[in-house]
Amino acid sequence: MNLETLMFYLLSALTVFAALRVITSRNPVHAALFLVLAFFSTAGIWMLLEAEFLALTLVLVYVGAVMVLFLFVVMMLDINLERLRVGFWKWFPFAAILAVVLLVEMVMVLGSSSTAGTNVNVAKHAADYSNTKELGRLIYTEYIYAFELAAVLLLVAIIAAIALTLRQRSGTKHQVQGDQIQVRSKDRVRIVSMPSVARPDTRK
Amino acid sequence: MEAQVLHFFQWFWDLFGLWNVVWSFVEPVWPLIWNLMKIVAIVAPLMIGVAYLTYAERKILAYMQVRVGPNRVGYYGLLQPIADGIKLLFKELIVPIRSNKLLFAFAPVMVLAPALAAWAVVPFADGMVLANINAGLLFILAMTSIGVYGVIIAGWSSNSKYAFLGAMRSAAQMVSYELPMGFALVCVLLAAQSMNLTDIVMGQQSNAGMLGWYFVPLFPMFIVYLISGVAETNRAPFDMAEGESEIVAGFHVEYSGMGFALFFLGEYANMILIAGLTSLFFLGGWLNPFHGWMLVGALTEWVPGIVWLLGKMFFVLFLFLWFRATFPRYRYDQLMRLGWKVLIPLTLVWVVVVAAWMQTPYWLWTPASVQG
């Protein structure tokens, strides 16, 4: 067993463990942190596949941005753990059926004749091969329409999120920076010139 | 370098006539040992740098405020950082009873680890780099973006209101300022046409000396990167995360002794990292600022590259300290406004400007490796 295989099994075991803990840990914050760990080890596996752009983007986007906001929300929520577990057995059969369907689907995809037995060999490249450049070339030539569509979709989502949450509340006290910058000292401060008066002599 | 080190070891063990025995044990793991040695060679000076950066900060702030600063331990107070380190080491570790013990212990590590890991791809001279990877710039972005976890986890696991408020503030701040930072780096990578940090520095080499560096065509981005760097490291005037007058000390209010020291180390290691990256991306890294400037250029050609790099890092670090001494703390809404309404639109516009500018013959910063 060479180092690469060892690393693969290590990272895979870590991914599976973290993924399991995401759904089994009681504390939602722990679950979110385990999801971060799962992303990390997945990025490691991608790194082993020499897909360094995807691996680093996974860390940058999902770990560095998405999960931070996720944690933010989860930490701010006042979650009552007792109430969460109410009705667990009531919904268990439904969830079990869903899980079985998902499992069957996965087995069918992975075990079907089109993918089974095919030895997926990753082409090895020289050290100066840039995965990023190749991906960029493909995205901006062959898959330009799909890429643009995805971008527009994200833009629509951004605008929709802003439109849904933007409310004008009346009666809030907030500063208008433009007005603050416009303020000049002569608008606020009046300098009065007063002649000084000699101090009355109190010694006696 | 590797051959020289090996040669030295061979000479050393040959003194006892044991080289062959030792080598038979060492050979299979030599790459590992060699990499560990390189890591130590980076981290050990970095830690000393962190210690003396705190000293420099106290001294410089003191002189700017017409004080003397630390002057009791050693000559001119030079042993003060070591005394502070020993004091922190022997202080009692207090863990709040209702805190989440595991995460409470883990948080300082999460602050320090990415700050150290990012150094793996930082080149100190041509070829002097631990891991010369092509996606170096992405690696840097990824590593600096996960530093925020330590802060959030510290704030949450302390189970304290001040700590939590500090963590929330700092998380929002770090996520916001990562965007302008990333876009500023997009401009750099447009100009350099590479994400490899060594290539980015070599792309700035020209006969125009410092005029060939990217801070000239990307001047607004240089300023944006510097401001975002200050905000990313939670330094004054953007130190909302630990605003003493509002939330005591923010996210690390419950930490004592070594836990606190690790946060401190992380913050200063991050400062040095940002200073190093600013020098590499915008200030020509290890390049001679006078290269090709007739007499001055010829007279300074003997200076080794690492001296230039360290000089540039000192300059940027001095700016960090200078900012702290000069500016009052921003208000939180002003901070968010600066990030989202000023810096991000500015960077977005400049990306387009640079991309368009590069298509014209007036773009003079094309890397020599791409020309022709």
Side-chain angles (χ1 to χ4, degrees):
Chain A
M1 195 190 290
N2 58 2
L3 192 69
E4 212 165 298
T5 328
L6 192 74
M7 284 297 288
F8 171 75
Y9 281 113
L10 205 72
L11 289 167
S12 312
L14 203 59
T15 312
V16 172
F17 165 74
L20 275 177
R21 290 296 287 147
V22 170
I23 51 171
T24 54
S25 53
R26 297 257 165 95
N27 192 327
V29 173
H30 289 182
L33 287 173
F34 274 115
L35 190 53
V36 172
L37 181 62
F39 279 138
F40 243 112
S41 31
T42 315
I45 293 175
W46 284 2
M47 203 63 112
L48 283 180
L49 282 173
E50 298 187 1
E52 76 268 4
F53 179 78
L54 289 178
L56 289 171
T57 318
L58 182 74
V59 173
L60 182 59
V61 175
Y62 280 89
V63 178
V66 173
M67 286 314 291
V68 172
L69 298 178
F70 223 85
L71 261 181
F72 219 89
V73 174
V74 170
M75 283 176 178
M76 300 286 252
L77 291 178
D78 186 21
I79 299 172
N80 189 342
L81 293 179
E82 294 305 314
R83 268 195 58 205
L84 268 185
R85 262 172 281 164
V86 169
F88 177 81
W89 290 109
K90 194 177 131 200
W91 294 104
F92 183 76
F94 181 64
I97 292 169
L98 260 183
V100 167
V101 169
L102 266 176
L103 190 71
V104 168
E105 274 180 356
M106 277 187 190
V107 168
M108 279 168 73
V109 169
L110 291 177
S112 70
S113 55
S114 60
T115 50
T118 50
N119 197 356
V120 184
N121 261 325
V122 182
K124 297 280 175 200
H125 295 285
D128 63 335
Y129 172 79
S130 178
N131 185 283
T132 318
K133 206 173 257 176
E134 293 306 313
L135 259 176
R137 192 165 287 143
L138 274 181
I139 281 179
Y140 286 103
T141 53
E142 219 160 299
Y143 300 105
I144 181 76
Y145 292 120
F147 181 67
E148 294 282 324
L149 265 178
V152 170
L153 198 66
L154 280 175
L155 184 67
V156 169
I158 292 171
I159 294 172
I162 293 173
L164 284 175
T165 52
L166 185 72
R167 300 177 208 134
Q168 296 288 346
R169 279 188 298 173
S170 59
T172 55
K173 288 184 177 172
H174 64 277
Q175 279 95 6
V176 182
Q177 266 84 13
D179 291 353
Q180 288 185 317
I181 294 166
Q182 291 294 315
V183 167
R184 292 289 169 267
S185 62
K186 66 175 168 43
D187 304 337
R188 298 257 173 110
V189 183
R190 190 165 55 100
I191 294 171
V192 183
S193 143
M194 288 179 81
S196 57
V197 181
R199 198 170 60 151
D201 195 4
T202 49
R203 286 172 299 166
K204 251 188 197 145
Chain B
M1 188 78 111
E2 191 173 354
Q4 284 152 357
V5 174
L6 265 179
H7 198 75
F8 172 76
F9 278 127
Q10 187 168 7
W11 169 79
F12 178 78
W13 285 107
D14 265 342
L15 291 181
F16 311 102
L18 288 171
W19 170 246
N20 287 327
V21 185
V22 171
W23 183 241
S24 64
F25 282 111
V26 167
E27 194 179 10
V29 285
W30 173 251
L32 194 69
I33 294 176
W34 175 238
N35 271 321
L36 279 176
M37 279 162 70
K38 285 199 278 192
I39 290 170
V40 171
I42 293 173
V43 172
L46 183 66
M47 286 296 136
I48 295 169
V50 166
Y52 278 91
L53 182 57
T54 62
Y55 173 77
E57 171 160 42
R58 292 172 70 178
K59 271 292 187 194
I60 290 170
L61 280 185
Y63 285 133
M64 284 185 179
Q65 296 163 351
V66 205
R67 294 183 286 119
V68 179
N71 67 342
R72 294 285 132 175
V73 194
Y75 286 103
Y76 303 102
L78 269 172
L79 295 177
Q80 186 68 42
I82 294 163
D84 285 343
I86 293 171
K87 184 195 80 173
L88 283 168
L89 202 63
F90 285 108
K91 273 186 124 177
E92 186 187 356
L93 273 178
I94 300 168
V95 180
I97 284 185
R98 297 284 302 276
S99 67
N100 190 319
K101 307 275 180 318
L102 189 72
L103 289 181
F104 190 78
F106 182 60
V109 181
M110 271 305 282
V111 170
L112 189 58
L116 296 182
W119 284 95
V121 295
V122 172
F124 297 95
D126 198 6
M128 241 169 92
V129 53
L130 182 61
N132 191 11
I133 61 172
N134 274 326
L137 197 141
L138 262 179
F139 180 81
I140 292 275
L141 277 176
M143 282 302 129
T144 48
S145 74
I146 58 179
V148 63
Y149 277 98
V151 174
I152 301 186
I153 294 172
W156 183 78
S157 64
S158 305
N159 203 3
S160 149
K161 290 200 171 50
Y162 283 137
F164 190 59
L165 282 175
M168 287 292 124
R169 281 181 174 203
S170 131
Q173 176 181 338
M174 286 167 101
V175 170
S176 310
Y177 277 84
E178 236 153 58
L179 293 171
M181 210 171 193
F183 278 122
L185 293 187
V186 167
C187 288
V188 171
L189 105 90
L190 267 180
Q193 307 187 19
S194 169
M195 291 207 295
N196 185 315
L197 265 64
T198 306
D199 288 351
I200 288 176
V201 173
M202 293 322 278
Q204 302 178 56
Q205 191 164 37
S206 70
N207 283 327
M210 64 171 93
L211 293 180
W213 301 349
Y214 291 142
F215 84 96
V216 178
L218 306 176
F219 190 71
M221 294 303 99
F222 173 55
I223 301 295
V224 166
Y225 191 81
L226 209 55
I227 295 175
S228 314
V230 177
E232 272 288 296
T233 47
N234 288 325
R235 292 278 307 172
F238 304 115
D239 57 344
M240 235 67 50
E242 42 188 297
E244 294 91 345
S245 53
E246 302 148 27
I247 48 173
V248 197
F251 62 92
H252 55 48
V253 66
E254 302 290 347
Y255 281 86
S256 62
M258 255 349 247
F260 174 75
L262 281 182
F263 277 117
F264 220 73
L265 278 178
E267 181 182 328
Y268 282 82
N270 262 325
M271 272 170 74
I272 299 180
L273 177 69
I274 295 285
L277 293 179
T278 313
S279 323
L280 289 174
F281 291 140
F282 295 99
L283 300 177
W286 58 83
L287 300 179
N288 182 349
F290 309 113
H291 181 75
W293 282 17
M294 308 219 279
L295 194 62
V296 197
L299 282 176
T300 50
E301 226 40 79
W302 57 273
V303 180
I306 192 146
V307 174
W308 291 121
L309 181 63
L310 288 177
K312 288 162 193 175
M313 283 167 69
F314 275 126
F315 168 69
V316 178
L317 284 172
F318 183 75
L319 284 183
F320 270 67
L321 305 182
W322 194 0
F323 290 157
R324 175 164 173 192
T326 308
F327 296 118
R329 184 177 294 137
Y330 260 54
R331 212 171 54 208
Y332 200 71
D333 62 314
Q334 291 172 335
L335 172 91
M336 282 295 151
R337 180 174 173 273
L338 179 71
W340 288 98
K341 290 190 177 174
V342 179
L343 297 186
I344 293 179
L346 182 68
T347 50
L348 280 175
V349 169
W350 208 258
V351 169
V352 179
V353 168
V354 168
W357 190 1
M358 285 179 70
Q359 302 305 315
T360 67
Y362 302 107
W363 180 261
L364 308 170
W365 291 270
T366 312
S369 58
V370 189
Q371 276 169 355

